[in-house]
């Protein structure tokens, strides 16, 4: 690559790829949210007979008639899908599969028919199918730009209505909006984008330029507006990467590089996106797990003290604690150290004990456990030997408000089903005065 | 064996294999899995080709099969993580894998004899001449053996696991509670789909496989409510498409696979419109009959309430109907003798009043309630 001077072809490809990235990304958001991710795939295949018929009618490979032919066939395919779902008991996936394969099969029939015509110059129809970005002419790019602009402007004009269609079509209908017509409008826009993209990335990969940026954007936000902008940015960025890489490395096709770049963004989003990402989920799980361990340790100390007649300032031997849950010394230390740091636990040599604040929090956990056990035996009439396991889980999940409510509903009981006392939060006030 | 016969048999075997597994795909709402797998296996084929250096069928089937299972695994993983819906998972996975395959081919195609067309767009017309050779002996067309083996495998699968597949398709929870894992069955079925796709498309092309996986089963689904009948019907329809499609292709002088897919589409369209129970026509007719019946009852009720003959113009105004609509509502009522047209307009007869007495008020109110709900 000579510096950053791009060749004429490469500039065309770059412009085309960015246009497609933006319009595909934006339309993809709607397709994704409406659970029609694969509609783009079906429509791209359905466009083939339209291209062939347009060619048969005009006898020339000028972009506009072929575009219109593809558009018409794609729209017809979309309407067939809508009709088949509405008028038969077929599901959307089957309707899409049928339109995809039958229209494409018909296209192949027409294609082989055309190849037998004595017209000549018919090779190259397939570039509309399998995507050869390098064959994009300035005129192609101009048509792409105009159509993309039309799509984006229409989306902006009908943004509120289409948003309603996507999230709550019934509500929209009750407001008197023409939901079916809006649905057809949205499908038409998708057909336009798909047809625009055919020549750049091809019939197989077009679905990824529509779905993947939207799927990646979805991981970062719950707001449609933000999602649209993100998807457009991801699509455009992948377009730039695809165009530049394929321009600078020999025999590297543009479409697949665009798709892989978008897929890389998707994988990164799935891992790192805040709140929804795998990484965050793992961290969150670990945090919860650690809290459960700490609460269990507090509870164990409380129970030991209870067995010793309530002497919770006495030291408890380390090996005894290890034995209670069969934990290794290291694992127990991992729970004990943060408790020490927070001043809930004191360690002296090979033994530990609760601080007053630690004792208060331990009592809180035990209280949740025992109230829940009581609730299960009283209200659900479970036998008392069946409730411990459930309470083991609930003691970490119940909020303070829920516990107070539970306490009130049970009539402020004194004892759990096993006859052990239920600690009261009054301990908080007495805790300071205890030795 | 004549080439014509070979093509028809190969086409029928492919159609049969596809119908058997495709029926379950359609019922499980995963019809597009076949399309996805037929594309995502590309890198598997390419890698197998690089490793073995020639086009050994077994290596290619293994490579493609591995990628098929990988596809299913990835789709399941994304889907189960709750971060992507199932259709979106399919839509992101197969283009990515296909892209890897295309890049591999275009980077190294110069060194090896492999191109996209011959991998994905196999042509059934060449099937009779691609012979299976063992040493110097020929065992007839290769496609016959491969597609035959796939058909037998699928048949055995469906026969042996019929009950399990049936229950896990219609009621996964029941299947799980009966002790066979829906997830395992899902993978078994998807592996069968992979094998079918891979075994078939080298001989007949990807598009025919995708069509045969979806269209005949969906057509059969419109015609029957019994799984066993649906399977048999789908196989028969597939065979009809294969044989008839070949005839069409000879007639039009065009792509055989394309003609088979087109014929399948034609049969589907016929079923979609004319299926006795689930066709669009019967749905429209039933709907219209119900609407007219309801309109008739409303008219009777209205006449009863008014207690006097009403002129057609009055009725037109009250109900907001067109003249023809009103006529179509009145005609069956006069024929049944529930109303008659006197000089003062339409009048409820004694028989009509009796009818309302018997069935009228409450039933109608009930129906209206249901209609609006």
């Amino acid at each position: 690559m000579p510096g950053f001077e791009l060749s004429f072809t490469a500039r065309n490809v770059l412009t085309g790829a960015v246009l497609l990235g933006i319009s595909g990304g934006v339309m993809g958001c709607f397709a994704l949210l409406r659970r029609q991710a694969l509609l783009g795939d079906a429509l791209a295949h359905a466009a083939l007979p339209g291209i062939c018929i347009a060619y048969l009618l005009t006898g020339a490979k000028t972009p506009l008639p072929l575009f219109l032919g593809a558009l018409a066939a794609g729209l017809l395919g979309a309407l067939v899908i809508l009709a088949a779902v509405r008028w038969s008991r077929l599901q959307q996936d089957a309707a899409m599969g049928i339109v995809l394969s039958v229209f494409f099969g018909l296209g192949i029939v027409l294609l082989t028919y055309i190849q037998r015509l004595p017209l000549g110059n018919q090779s190259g129809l397939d570039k509309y199918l399998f995507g050869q970005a390098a064959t994009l002419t300035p005129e192609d790019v101009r048509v792409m730009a105009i159509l993309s602009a039309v799509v984006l402007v229409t989306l902006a004009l009908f943004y509120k209505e289409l948003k309603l269609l996507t999230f709550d079509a019934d509500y929209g209908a009750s407001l008197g909006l023409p939901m079916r017509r809006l649905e057809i409008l949205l499908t038409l826009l998708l057909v336009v984008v798909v047809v625009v993209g055919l020549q750049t990335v091809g019939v197989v990969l077009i679905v990824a330029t529509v779905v993947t940026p939207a799927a990646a954007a979805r991981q970062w936000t719950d707001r449609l507006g933000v999602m649209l902008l993100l998807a457009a940015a991801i699509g455009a960025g992948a377009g730039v990467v695809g165009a530049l890489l394929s321009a600078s490395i020999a025999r590297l096709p543009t479409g697949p590089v665009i798709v892989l770049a978008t897929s890389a963004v998707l994988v990164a989003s799935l891992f790192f996106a805040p709140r929804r990402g795998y990484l965050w989920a793992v961290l969150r799980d670990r945090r919860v797990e650690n809290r459960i361990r700490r609460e269990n340790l507090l509870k164990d100390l409380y129970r030991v003290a209870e067995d010793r007649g309530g002497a919770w300032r006495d030291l408890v031997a380390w090996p005894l604690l290890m034995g209670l849950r069969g934990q290794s010394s290291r694992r127990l230390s991992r729970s004990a150290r943060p408790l020490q740091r927070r001043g809930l636990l004191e360690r002296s040599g090979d033994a530990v004990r609760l601080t007053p604040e630690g004792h208060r929090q331990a009592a809180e956990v035990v209280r949740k456990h025992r109230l829940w056990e009581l609730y299960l035996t009283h209200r659900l009439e479970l036998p008392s030997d069946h409730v411990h396991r459930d309470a083991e889980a609930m003691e970490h999940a119940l909020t303070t408000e829920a516990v107070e409510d539970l306490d009130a509903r049970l009539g402020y009981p004194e004892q759990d089903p096993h006859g052990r006392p239920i600690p009261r939060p009054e301990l908080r006030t007495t805790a300071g005065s205890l030795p | 064996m004549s080439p014509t016969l070979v093509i028809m048999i190969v086409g029928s075997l492919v159609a049969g294999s596809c119908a058997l597994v495709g029926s379950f795909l359609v019922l499980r709402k995963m019809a597009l899995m076949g399309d996805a797998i037929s594309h995502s296996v590309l890198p598997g084929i390419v890698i197998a080709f690089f490793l073995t250096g020639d086009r050994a069928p077994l290596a290619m089937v293994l490579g493609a099969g591995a990628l098929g299972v990988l596809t299913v695994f990835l789709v399941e993983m994304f889907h189960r993580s709750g971060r992507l819906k199932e259709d979106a998972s399919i839509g992101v996975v197969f283009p990515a894998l296909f892209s890897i395959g295309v890049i591999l081919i275009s980077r190294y195609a110069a060194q090896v004899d492999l191109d996209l067309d011959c991998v994905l767009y196999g042509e059934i017309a060449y099937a009779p001449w691609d012979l299976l050779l063992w040493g110097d002996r020929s065992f007839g067309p290769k496609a016959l053996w491969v597609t035959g083996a796939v058909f037998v495998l699928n048949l055995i699968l469906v026969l042996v696991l019929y009950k399990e597949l049936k229950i896990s398709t219609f009621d996964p929870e029941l299947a799980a509670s009966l002790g066979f894992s829906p997830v395992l069955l899902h993978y078994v079925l998807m592996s069968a789909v992979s094998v079918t796709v891979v075994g078939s498309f080298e001989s007949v092309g990807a598009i025919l496989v995708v069509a045969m996986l979806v269209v005949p089963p969906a057509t059969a689904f419109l015609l029957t409510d019994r799984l066993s009948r649906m399977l048999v019907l789908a196989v028969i329809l597939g065979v009809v498409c294969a044989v008839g499609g070949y005839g069409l292709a000879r007639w039009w002088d065009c792509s055989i696979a394309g003609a088979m897919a087109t014929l399948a589409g034609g049969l589907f369209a016929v079923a979609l419109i004319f299926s006795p129970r689930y066709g669009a026509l019967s749905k429209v007719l039933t709907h219209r009959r119900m609407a007219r019946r309801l309109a008739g009852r409303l008219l009777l009720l209205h006449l009863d309430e008014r207690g006097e003959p009403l002129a057609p113009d009055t009725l037109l105004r009250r109900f907001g109907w067109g003249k023809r609509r009103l006529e179509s509502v009145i005609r069956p009522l006069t024929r049944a003798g529930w109303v008659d047209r006197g000089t003062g307009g339409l009048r409820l007869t004694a028989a009509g009043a009796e009818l309302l007495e018997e069935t009228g008020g409450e039933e109608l109110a009930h129906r209206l309630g249901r209609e609006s709900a």
Side-chain angles (χ1 to χ4, degrees), chain A residues 58-279:
Chain A
T58 60
K61 281 191 318 224
T62 40
L64 200 61
L66 296 189
F67 257 3
L68 292 177
L71 219 58
L75 192 60
L76 180 66
L79 292 177
V80 171
I81 293 172
L82 287 177
V85 171
R86 193 180 159 138
W87 289 111
S88 82
R89 59 172 182 162
L90 284 178
Q91 303 286 329
Q92 187 154 274
D93 64 309
M96 286 196 244
I98 289 163
V99 165
L100 182 155
S101 56
V102 172
F103 275 55
F104 198 73
L106 186 63
I108 300 270
V109 166
L110 291 169
L111 210 56
T112 46
Y113 172 72
I114 290 171
Q115 275 158 10
R116 285 180 178 73
L117 290 179
L119 280 169
N121 189 29
Q122 66 274 69
S123 67
L125 270 187
D126 52 350
K127 81 175 180 188
Y128 286 92
L129 282 184
F130 305 118
Q132 289 175 6
T135 63
L136 283 175
T137 64
E139 200 190 341
D140 290 333
V141 173
R142 218 164 12 245
V143 175
M144 284 176 83
I146 293 169
L147 288 175
S148 302
V150 169
V151 168
L152 294 178
V153 169
T154 317
L155 269 183
L157 284 177
F158 293 95
Y159 179 70
K160 226 183 240 171
E161 286 81 359
L162 293 175
K163 190 172 173 182
L164 204 52
L165 174 71
T166 306
F167 291 109
D168 199 343
D170 289 339
Y171 179 58
S174 78
L175 291 181
L177 289 169
M179 282 311 181
R180 281 205 77 76
R181 256 179 275 167
L182 284 170
E183 189 178 5
I184 291 175
L185 173 72
L186 194 63
T187 312
L188 176 66
L189 295 180
L190 182 64
V191 176
V192 172
V193 169
V194 163
V195 171
V196 164
L198 273 185
Q199 198 180 343
T200 315
V201 297
V203 66
V204 180
L205 297 182
I206 187 78
V207 60
T209 56
V210 176
V211 177
T212 315
R218 175 71 188 89
Q219 308 307 316
W220 297 88
T221 176
D222 285 335
R223 301 188 57 88
L224 180 61
V226 181
M227 184 178 165
L228 290 170
L229 291 177
L230 267 178
I234 293 169
V240 172
V241 170
L244 292 184
L245 276 183
S246 66
S248 50
I249 300 174
R251 294 195 309 275
L252 198 61
T254 316
V257 178
I258 294 179
V259 171
L260 287 184
T262 330
S263 303
V265 176
L266 172 63
V267 171
S269 306
L270 285 171
F271 271 98
F272 302 116
R275 292 208 312 279
R276 281 174 72 102
Y278 285 112
L279 193 67

Side-chain angles (χ1 to χ4, degrees), chain A residues 37 41 89 93 112 250 276, chain B residues 29 31 35 83 87 107 221 224:
Chain A
D41 193 34
R89 59 172 182 162
D93 64 309
T112 46
R276 281 174 72 102
Chain B
K29 307 185 181 73
D35 175 50
R83 289 170 179 86
D87 61 326
R107 290 292 292 160
F221 181 60
T224 176

Side-chain angles (χ1 to χ4, degrees), chain B residues 216-236:
Chain B
T219 313
F221 181 60
L222 292 180
L223 297 172
T224 176
D225 280 331
R226 291 188 69 89
L227 176 61
S228 52
R229 266 185 223 152
M230 177 177 163
L231 286 168
V232 173
L233 206 56
V235 172
I236 293 173

Side-chain angles (χ1 to χ4, degrees), chain B residues 48-69:
Chain B
F49 187 84
F50 286 159
L51 291 180
T52 59
D54 70 313
R55 226 182 265 211
L58 191 64
M60 281 194 160
V61 168
L62 286 179
L67 258 291
V69 174

Side-chain angles (χ1 to χ4, degrees), chain B residues 157-169:
Chain B
L157 175 80
V158 171
L159 287 178
V160 171
L161 292 180
Y162 181 75
K163 188 185 64 196
E164 285 80 0
L165 283 171
K166 182 174 169 178
I167 298 178
S168 73
T169 298

